[in-house]
Amino acid sequence: MSVRIRLTLSYAGFLLVAGTLLLAVVWVFLLRYVPSGDIATSGPFVPNRGDLVRAFLPPAAWALLFLLLLGLVGGWVLAGRMLAPLDRITTATRQAAQGALSHRIRLEGRQDEFRELADSFDSMLARLEAQVAEQQRFAANASHELRTPLATTQVLLDVARSDPDTDTRVLLERLAEINGRAIDLTQALLLLSRAEQVPFDREEVDLSLLAETAAESLLPLAERRGVAVEVSGNAALTSGSRALLLQLTTNLLHNAIVHNLPSGGTVSVTTASSPGWATLTLENSGEPLPPSEVGRYTEPFQRGADRARSDHDGVGLGLAIAARIVHAHGGTLELVPRAEGGLRATVALPGT
């Protein structure tokens, strides 16, 4: 039986039981005190218990039958009205199962349990739609990025096959460079997909030490590009994965070095602690950035209109990976364009 039928039978049964109890109360508190035999009186006829029972039972039976019918009809109508929001939620669920994630219930009325359920379902559909769109966009971008080195490799091989005088050493160096870039891209994609899904052991981590480690490892790149890196600040203790947080710091610093002035650029890395929070701030010089584009830099493969790709720019996933790592640690990543040019990236993580 459906829920509506069960509710209807419940309503009807409740009314029938209530009517029966009412009749039982009449019997217990009234009729049992009436004598069962003939009542002798010099006046008008006085009915005894049997007379009252014979006169009372037929109307009582009709009343119970009326209550039963009223319970069935009224229960069916009331159950239908109460379950109408569930029908809309069920319809939305079926449409979502068929891929129509843009459908919303938008239940009207007062804020009751059904309204809260519908609003929660609408919020879930909105998040699912956004995640599916992001995954589709990411898959398309990843396919495009992976196709580029493969297509370049195919072109080089075709040229080498058609030209017997091709310099093999130069060809191998070029193929090794392209293959290395494809490997870096694949590893970045794996890290991006697992940054928030793989559980990790938490330990106490000092962001100031990670900043110094990242600056030391990227010092050769900074020197080649003529960028001065300065690390300062106090100890900033947080809890999390040392490896992931080092990857976060390295990605932010690499992004600050690569997207900088052609020469004479600067990068400052500052760590600080406040009640409940540990912060890491990176500021780099560079060309002025439009605020409308800065918000998209944490999306995969977003470099900005004026951030042209070069051989040292990475694969376009640095800030996306950083954002995933920050989210996995319960923190926030804020990107703000500097008035004098360049970018300020501020990471706030729960302190210890």
Side-chain angles (χ1 to χ4, degrees):
M1 292 187 295
S2 65
V3 176
R4 187 175 186 180
I5 294 178
R6 292 201 298 268
L7 287 176
T8 300
L9 295 179
S10 299
Y11 296 149
F14 175 78
L15 284 179
L16 195 60
V17 170
T20 304
L21 289 177
L22 182 61
L23 296 179
V25 169
V26 173
W27 170 263
V28 170
F29 290 97
L30 293 179
L31 292 180
R32 71 172 181 169
Y33 294 108
V34 179
S36 59
D38 294 336
I39 301 176
T41 178
S42 59
F45 171 75
V46 177
N48 59 16
R49 185 191 302 172
D51 296 330
L52 292 176
V53 169
R54 285 189 295 272
F56 181 70
L57 281 182
W62 282 109
L64 290 178
L65 180 60
F66 173 76
L67 288 176
L68 177 61
L69 294 177
L70 180 64
L72 291 174
V73 176
W76 180 263
V77 175
L78 290 177
R81 294 189 61 181
M82 291 187 62
L83 295 177
L86 288 182
D87 293 336
R88 294 179 60 178
I89 295 175
T90 302
T91 301
T93 304
R94 290 173 178 168
Q95 294 184 1
Q98 296 174 357
L101 298 179
S102 60
H103 177 74
R104 299 292 182 270
I105 301 173
R106 295 186 178 90
L107 190 64
E108 304 86 3
R110 63 182 62 186
Q111 192 70 26
D112 55 8
E113 289 81 357
F114 289 116
R115 176 72 178 275
E116 291 180 359
L117 177 61
D119 292 344
S120 300
F121 192 80
D122 285 345
S123 299
M124 182 189 68
L125 285 179
R127 290 193 300 269
L128 285 176
E129 185 181 16
Q131 290 178 358
V132 169
E134 181 182 357
Q135 290 178 355
Q136 292 176 347
R137 184 169 60 252
F138 174 76
N141 290 333
S143 300
H144 175 74
E145 295 287 334
L146 287 171
R147 184 181 60 181
T148 300
L150 294 177
T152 305
T153 301
Q154 184 63 44
V155 170
L156 291 175
L157 292 176
D158 291 341
V159 171
R161 187 182 298 111
S162 60
D163 185 5
D165 298 329
T166 301
D167 190 341
T168 306
R169 184 179 58 83
V170 175
L171 175 63
L172 292 178
E173 290 179 356
R174 184 57 178 161
L175 289 176
E177 179 183 350
I178 297 174
N179 185 67
R181 188 175 185 84
I183 292 175
D184 292 340
L185 174 60
T186 305
Q187 291 177 344
L189 290 173
L190 290 175
L191 180 59
L192 179 64
S193 64
R194 299 165 61 181
E196 293 185 71
Q197 300 176 2
V198 178
F200 50 84
D201 296 329
R202 290 183 174 269
E203 58 180 316
E204 189 177 73
V205 181
D206 188 353
L207 295 181
S208 63
L209 298 180
L210 298 185
E212 293 178 357
T213 303
E216 183 179 354
S217 63
L218 293 176
L219 183 59
L221 175 62
E223 291 178 346
R224 288 198 306 269
R225 301 183 69 91
V227 176
V229 179
E230 179 184 358
V231 180
S232 62
N234 302 322
L237 301 179
T238 185
S239 176
S241 168
R242 183 180 299 274
L244 288 179
L245 293 177
L246 179 58
Q247 183 72 46
L248 159 69
T249 309
T250 303
N251 285 6
L252 293 177
L253 183 55
H254 181 275
N255 182 81
I257 294 174
V258 169
H259 301 291
N260 213 306
L261 295 175
S263 61
T266 60
V267 176
S268 64
V269 184
T270 308
T271 57
S273 60
S274 59
W277 294 96
T279 58
L280 170 71
T281 304
L282 293 92
E283 295 189 24
N284 66 293
S285 57
E287 299 296 331
L289 300 174
S292 59
E293 290 189 4
V294 171
R296 300 188 298 109
Y297 287 168
T298 56
E299 298 181 9
F301 307 110
Q302 295 294 330
R303 299 183 178 85
D306 57 347
R307 306 176 91 188
R309 177 172 178 172
S310 68
D311 293 339
H312 303 286
D313 284 354
V315 294
L317 293 174
L319 291 180
I321 294 174
R324 296 286 179 88
I325 294 175
V326 170
H327 186 269
H329 285 77
T332 59
L333 172 61
E334 182 183 16
L335 302 179
V336 179
R338 302 171 67 219
E340 59 273 25
L343 188 69
R344 178 188 299 109
T346 303
V347 176
L349 299 173
T352 59

PDB file of all heavy atoms in Angstrom, residues 5 14 34 43 48 79 87-88 98 138 169 206 229-230 261-262 274 321 338 346:
ATOM      1  N   ILE A   5      -2.543   5.746   1.148  1.00  0.00           N
ATOM      2  CA  ILE A   5      -3.557   4.793   1.605  1.00  0.00           C
ATOM      3  C   ILE A   5      -3.354   4.472   3.077  1.00  0.00           C
ATOM      4  O   ILE A   5      -4.316   4.397   3.860  1.00  0.00           O
ATOM      5  CB  ILE A   5      -3.507   3.516   0.748  1.00  0.00           C
ATOM      6  CG1 ILE A   5      -3.927   3.842  -0.694  1.00  0.00           C
ATOM      7  CG2 ILE A   5      -4.408   2.443   1.324  1.00  0.00           C
ATOM      8  CD1 ILE A   5      -3.863   2.660  -1.626  1.00  0.00           C
ATOM      9  N   PHE A  14      -8.371   5.982  13.447  1.00  0.00           N
ATOM     10  CA  PHE A  14      -8.321   6.854  14.619  1.00  0.00           C
ATOM     11  C   PHE A  14      -9.721   7.370  14.967  1.00  0.00           C
ATOM     12  O   PHE A  14     -10.136   7.369  16.139  1.00  0.00           O
ATOM     13  CB  PHE A  14      -7.378   8.020  14.362  1.00  0.00           C
ATOM     14  CG  PHE A  14      -7.357   9.037  15.473  1.00  0.00           C
ATOM     15  CD1 PHE A  14      -6.659   8.797  16.632  1.00  0.00           C
ATOM     16  CD2 PHE A  14      -8.056  10.232  15.334  1.00  0.00           C
ATOM     17  CE1 PHE A  14      -6.643   9.733  17.660  1.00  0.00           C
ATOM     18  CE2 PHE A  14      -8.038  11.158  16.356  1.00  0.00           C
ATOM     19  CZ  PHE A  14      -7.333  10.912  17.529  1.00  0.00           C
ATOM     20  N   VAL A  34     -28.184   2.585  35.253  1.00  0.00           N
ATOM     21  CA  VAL A  34     -29.626   2.442  35.022  1.00  0.00           C
ATOM     22  C   VAL A  34     -30.027   0.998  35.321  1.00  0.00           C
ATOM     23  O   VAL A  34     -29.371   0.068  34.842  1.00  0.00           O
ATOM     24  CB  VAL A  34     -29.984   2.823  33.573  1.00  0.00           C
ATOM     25  CG1 VAL A  34     -31.480   2.642  33.319  1.00  0.00           C
ATOM     26  CG2 VAL A  34     -29.560   4.255  33.280  1.00  0.00           C
ATOM     27  N   GLY A  43     -45.799   7.354  37.817  1.00  0.00           N
ATOM     28  CA  GLY A  43     -45.890   8.403  36.809  1.00  0.00           C
ATOM     29  C   GLY A  43     -45.705   7.849  35.407  1.00  0.00           C
ATOM     30  O   GLY A  43     -46.016   6.675  35.119  1.00  0.00           O
ATOM     31  N   ASN A  48     -35.775   1.272  31.169  1.00  0.00           N
ATOM     32  CA  ASN A  48     -34.675   0.646  31.901  1.00  0.00           C
ATOM     33  C   ASN A  48     -33.446   0.561  31.009  1.00  0.00           C
ATOM     34  O   ASN A  48     -33.407   1.114  29.889  1.00  0.00           O
ATOM     35  CB  ASN A  48     -35.090  -0.723  32.423  1.00  0.00           C
ATOM     36  CG  ASN A  48     -35.514  -1.653  31.276  1.00  0.00           C
ATOM     37  OD1 ASN A  48     -35.233  -1.384  30.109  1.00  0.00           O
ATOM     38  ND2 ASN A  48     -36.209  -2.734  31.614  1.00  0.00           N
ATOM     39  N   ALA A  79      -4.361  13.512   3.412  1.00  0.00           N
ATOM     40  CA  ALA A  79      -3.093  12.854   3.077  1.00  0.00           C
ATOM     41  C   ALA A  79      -2.574  13.326   1.732  1.00  0.00           C
ATOM     42  O   ALA A  79      -1.360  13.524   1.549  1.00  0.00           O
ATOM     43  CB  ALA A  79      -3.278  11.340   3.075  1.00  0.00           C
ATOM     44  N   ASP A  87       5.449  14.670  -3.700  1.00  0.00           N
ATOM     45  CA  ASP A  87       5.305  14.373  -5.128  1.00  0.00           C
ATOM     46  C   ASP A  87       6.204  15.291  -5.958  1.00  0.00           C
ATOM     47  O   ASP A  87       6.840  14.846  -6.926  1.00  0.00           O
ATOM     48  CB  ASP A  87       3.850  14.528  -5.558  1.00  0.00           C
ATOM     49  CG  ASP A  87       2.937  13.485  -4.928  1.00  0.00           C
ATOM     50  OD1 ASP A  87       3.463  12.418  -4.547  1.00  0.00           O
ATOM     51  OD2 ASP A  87       1.733  13.739  -4.802  1.00  0.00           O
ATOM     52  N   ARG A  88       6.271  16.581  -5.574  1.00  0.00           N
ATOM     53  CA  ARG A  88       7.138  17.504  -6.310  1.00  0.00           C
ATOM     54  C   ARG A  88       8.607  17.147  -6.106  1.00  0.00           C
ATOM     55  O   ARG A  88       9.406  17.220  -7.053  1.00  0.00           O
ATOM     56  CB  ARG A  88       6.866  18.931  -5.848  1.00  0.00           C
ATOM     57  CG  ARG A  88       5.476  19.423  -6.198  1.00  0.00           C
ATOM     58  CD  ARG A  88       5.237  20.836  -5.709  1.00  0.00           C
ATOM     59  NE  ARG A  88       6.178  21.786  -6.289  1.00  0.00           N
ATOM     60  CZ  ARG A  88       6.149  23.087  -6.050  1.00  0.00           C
ATOM     61  NH1 ARG A  88       5.207  23.585  -5.267  1.00  0.00           N
ATOM     62  NH2 ARG A  88       7.040  23.882  -6.598  1.00  0.00           N
ATOM     63  N   GLN A  98      17.738  11.683 -14.415  1.00  0.00           N
ATOM     64  CA  GLN A  98      17.842  11.644 -15.872  1.00  0.00           C
ATOM     65  C   GLN A  98      18.802  12.701 -16.419  1.00  0.00           C
ATOM     66  O   GLN A  98      18.951  12.823 -17.628  1.00  0.00           O
ATOM     67  CB  GLN A  98      16.461  11.837 -16.494  1.00  0.00           C
ATOM     68  CG  GLN A  98      15.489  10.702 -16.149  1.00  0.00           C
ATOM     69  CD  GLN A  98      14.085  10.973 -16.648  1.00  0.00           C
ATOM     70  OE1 GLN A  98      13.808  12.040 -17.212  1.00  0.00           O
ATOM     71  NE2 GLN A  98      13.191  10.024 -16.438  1.00  0.00           N
ATOM     72  N   PHE A 138      36.642  21.008 -16.818  1.00  0.00           N
ATOM     73  CA  PHE A 138      37.978  20.519 -16.511  1.00  0.00           C
ATOM     74  C   PHE A 138      38.386  19.403 -17.462  1.00  0.00           C
ATOM     75  O   PHE A 138      39.535  19.365 -17.931  1.00  0.00           O
ATOM     76  CB  PHE A 138      38.010  20.015 -15.063  1.00  0.00           C
ATOM     77  CG  PHE A 138      39.303  19.363 -14.677  1.00  0.00           C
ATOM     78  CD1 PHE A 138      40.427  20.123 -14.402  1.00  0.00           C
ATOM     79  CD2 PHE A 138      39.408  17.987 -14.602  1.00  0.00           C
ATOM     80  CE1 PHE A 138      41.615  19.529 -14.039  1.00  0.00           C
ATOM     81  CE2 PHE A 138      40.590  17.380 -14.249  1.00  0.00           C
ATOM     82  CZ  PHE A 138      41.701  18.150 -13.965  1.00  0.00           C
ATOM     83  N   ARG A 169      69.755  14.183 -32.575  1.00  0.00           N
ATOM     84  CA  ARG A 169      69.995  14.675 -31.219  1.00  0.00           C
ATOM     85  C   ARG A 169      69.018  15.800 -30.878  1.00  0.00           C
ATOM     86  O   ARG A 169      68.436  15.819 -29.802  1.00  0.00           O
ATOM     87  CB  ARG A 169      71.431  15.179 -31.104  1.00  0.00           C
ATOM     88  CG  ARG A 169      71.814  15.631 -29.696  1.00  0.00           C
ATOM     89  CD  ARG A 169      73.263  16.084 -29.669  1.00  0.00           C
ATOM     90  NE  ARG A 169      73.497  17.167 -30.630  1.00  0.00           N
ATOM     91  CZ  ARG A 169      73.229  18.453 -30.366  1.00  0.00           C
ATOM     92  NH1 ARG A 169      72.725  18.799 -29.197  1.00  0.00           N
ATOM     93  NH2 ARG A 169      73.490  19.370 -31.268  1.00  0.00           N
ATOM     94  N   ASP A 206      54.765  24.259  10.625  1.00  0.00           N
ATOM     95  CA  ASP A 206      55.103  25.677  10.703  1.00  0.00           C
ATOM     96  C   ASP A 206      55.196  26.234   9.286  1.00  0.00           C
ATOM     97  O   ASP A 206      56.069  25.829   8.492  1.00  0.00           O
ATOM     98  CB  ASP A 206      56.425  25.873  11.445  1.00  0.00           C
ATOM     99  CG  ASP A 206      56.724  27.342  11.719  1.00  0.00           C
ATOM    100  OD1 ASP A 206      55.979  28.207  11.219  1.00  0.00           O
ATOM    101  OD2 ASP A 206      57.705  27.620  12.438  1.00  0.00           O
ATOM    102  N   VAL A 229      63.453  37.208  -4.180  1.00  0.00           N
ATOM    103  CA  VAL A 229      62.499  36.587  -3.264  1.00  0.00           C
ATOM    104  C   VAL A 229      62.924  36.912  -1.833  1.00  0.00           C
ATOM    105  O   VAL A 229      64.072  36.664  -1.445  1.00  0.00           O
ATOM    106  CB  VAL A 229      62.422  35.066  -3.475  1.00  0.00           C
ATOM    107  CG1 VAL A 229      61.437  34.449  -2.481  1.00  0.00           C
ATOM    108  CG2 VAL A 229      62.018  34.757  -4.910  1.00  0.00           C
ATOM    109  N   GLU A 230      61.991  37.430  -1.052  1.00  0.00           N
ATOM    110  CA  GLU A 230      62.256  37.765   0.342  1.00  0.00           C
ATOM    111  C   GLU A 230      61.248  37.039   1.223  1.00  0.00           C
ATOM    112  O   GLU A 230      60.031  37.134   1.012  1.00  0.00           O
ATOM    113  CB  GLU A 230      62.143  39.267   0.560  1.00  0.00           C
ATOM    114  CG  GLU A 230      62.380  39.680   2.009  1.00  0.00           C
ATOM    115  CD  GLU A 230      62.179  41.161   2.233  1.00  0.00           C
ATOM    116  OE1 GLU A 230      61.886  41.867   1.239  1.00  0.00           O
ATOM    117  OE2 GLU A 230      62.281  41.609   3.386  1.00  0.00           O
ATOM    118  N   LEU A 261      57.419  40.691 -13.407  1.00  0.00           N
ATOM    119  CA  LEU A 261      58.006  41.597 -14.398  1.00  0.00           C
ATOM    120  C   LEU A 261      59.094  40.890 -15.194  1.00  0.00           C
ATOM    121  O   LEU A 261      59.709  39.927 -14.701  1.00  0.00           O
ATOM    122  CB  LEU A 261      58.589  42.819 -13.690  1.00  0.00           C
ATOM    123  CG  LEU A 261      57.579  43.733 -12.981  1.00  0.00           C
ATOM    124  CD1 LEU A 261      58.313  44.830 -12.215  1.00  0.00           C
ATOM    125  CD2 LEU A 261      56.609  44.340 -13.987  1.00  0.00           C
ATOM    126  N   PRO A 262      59.339  41.317 -16.430  1.00  0.00           N
ATOM    127  CA  PRO A 262      60.395  40.676 -17.234  1.00  0.00           C
ATOM    128  C   PRO A 262      61.758  40.734 -16.558  1.00  0.00           C
ATOM    129  O   PRO A 262      62.578  39.823 -16.732  1.00  0.00           O
ATOM    130  CB  PRO A 262      60.372  41.471 -18.537  1.00  0.00           C
ATOM    131  CG  PRO A 262      59.009  42.082 -18.599  1.00  0.00           C
ATOM    132  CD  PRO A 262      58.619  42.349 -17.183  1.00  0.00           C
ATOM    133  N   SER A 274      47.673  34.562  14.312  1.00  0.00           N
ATOM    134  CA  SER A 274      46.696  35.327  15.076  1.00  0.00           C
ATOM    135  C   SER A 274      45.839  34.329  15.839  1.00  0.00           C
ATOM    136  O   SER A 274      45.918  33.120  15.579  1.00  0.00           O
ATOM    137  CB  SER A 274      45.839  36.191  14.137  1.00  0.00           C
ATOM    138  OG  SER A 274      45.170  35.373  13.197  1.00  0.00           O
ATOM    139  N   ILE A 321      45.397  23.684  -7.739  1.00  0.00           N
ATOM    140  CA  ILE A 321      45.842  22.720  -6.731  1.00  0.00           C
ATOM    141  C   ILE A 321      45.950  23.394  -5.370  1.00  0.00           C
ATOM    142  O   ILE A 321      45.554  22.826  -4.339  1.00  0.00           O
ATOM    143  CB  ILE A 321      47.181  22.101  -7.153  1.00  0.00           C
ATOM    144  CG1 ILE A 321      47.010  21.259  -8.422  1.00  0.00           C
ATOM    145  CG2 ILE A 321      47.769  21.253  -6.037  1.00  0.00           C
ATOM    146  CD1 ILE A 321      48.307  20.724  -8.986  1.00  0.00           C
ATOM    147  N   ARG A 338      47.085  43.842  -6.814  1.00  0.00           N
ATOM    148  CA  ARG A 338      47.705  44.995  -6.158  1.00  0.00           C
ATOM    149  C   ARG A 338      47.520  46.234  -7.029  1.00  0.00           C
ATOM    150  O   ARG A 338      47.537  46.163  -8.269  1.00  0.00           O
ATOM    151  CB  ARG A 338      49.185  44.725  -5.918  1.00  0.00           C
ATOM    152  CG  ARG A 338      49.452  43.494  -5.067  1.00  0.00           C
ATOM    153  CD  ARG A 338      50.925  43.141  -5.031  1.00  0.00           C
ATOM    154  NE  ARG A 338      51.694  44.155  -4.324  1.00  0.00           N
ATOM    155  CZ  ARG A 338      52.886  44.571  -4.691  1.00  0.00           C
ATOM    156  NH1 ARG A 338      53.436  44.101  -5.809  1.00  0.00           N
ATOM    157  NH2 ARG A 338      53.532  45.473  -3.983  1.00  0.00           N
ATOM    158  N   THR A 346      46.696  35.398  -0.153  1.00  0.00           N
ATOM    159  CA  THR A 346      46.679  35.222   1.302  1.00  0.00           C
ATOM    160  C   THR A 346      46.001  33.908   1.645  1.00  0.00           C
ATOM    161  O   THR A 346      44.861  33.667   1.256  1.00  0.00           O
ATOM    162  CB  THR A 346      45.915  36.388   1.976  1.00  0.00           C
ATOM    163  OG1 THR A 346      46.517  37.626   1.616  1.00  0.00           O
ATOM    164  CG2 THR A 346      45.953  36.219   3.486  1.00  0.00           C
TER     165      THR A 346
END
